[in-house]
């Protein structure tokens, strides 16, 4: 079995011009799979957020232009430094 992996590593070393063992190629493959998985997961969350509308109306209470409709007064809040 180790002869099989050694031949694969030998062919990859000839192809790339590098001198890695099979463990190096396995670690590169797992790293690439992890990065692609993270990319797909973040794109899924971005699409889910866009579809549900969570990123449409961000209400930042620190923004002086922010007005809370539940306050009852008609004037926008000035914030702590206004």
């Amino acid at each position: 079995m180790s002869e099989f992996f050694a031949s694969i590593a030998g062919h990859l070393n000839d192809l790339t011009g590098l001198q890695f063992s099979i463990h190096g190629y396995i670690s590169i493959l797992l790293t690439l799979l992890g990065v692609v998985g993270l990319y797909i997961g973040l794109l899924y969350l971005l699409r889910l957020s866009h579809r549900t509308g969570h990123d449409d109306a961000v209400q930042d209470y620190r923004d002086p232009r922010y007005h809370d409709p539940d306050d009852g007064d008609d004037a926008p809040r000035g914030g702590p430094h206004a």
Side-chain angles (χ1 to χ4, degrees), residues 26-42:
I26 290 172
S27 66
I28 290 172
L29 178 67
L30 290 176
T31 301
L32 289 174
L33 288 175
V35 167
V36 169
L38 181 65
Y39 176 74
I40 290 172
L42 289 175

Side-chain angles (χ1 to χ4, degrees), residues 5-66:
F5 291 120
S7 66
I8 290 176
H11 289 298
L12 289 173
N13 286 337
D14 291 340
L15 181 67
T16 61
L18 302 172
Q19 295 300 320
F20 285 160
S21 68
I22 192 66
H23 300 102
Y25 289 111
I26 290 172
S27 66
I28 290 172
L29 178 67
L30 290 176
T31 301
L32 289 174
L33 288 175
V35 167
V36 169
L38 181 65
Y39 176 74
I40 290 172
L42 289 175
L43 280 180
Y44 172 75
L45 289 176
L46 181 70
R47 182 178 168 107
L48 181 68
S49 173
H50 178 71
R51 195 173 18 172
T52 58
H54 282 95
D55 56 350
D56 288 340
V58 175
Q59 296 177 351
D60 188 4
Y61 67 91
R62 296 171 295 179
D63 187 5
R65 297 169 293 170
Y66 170 70

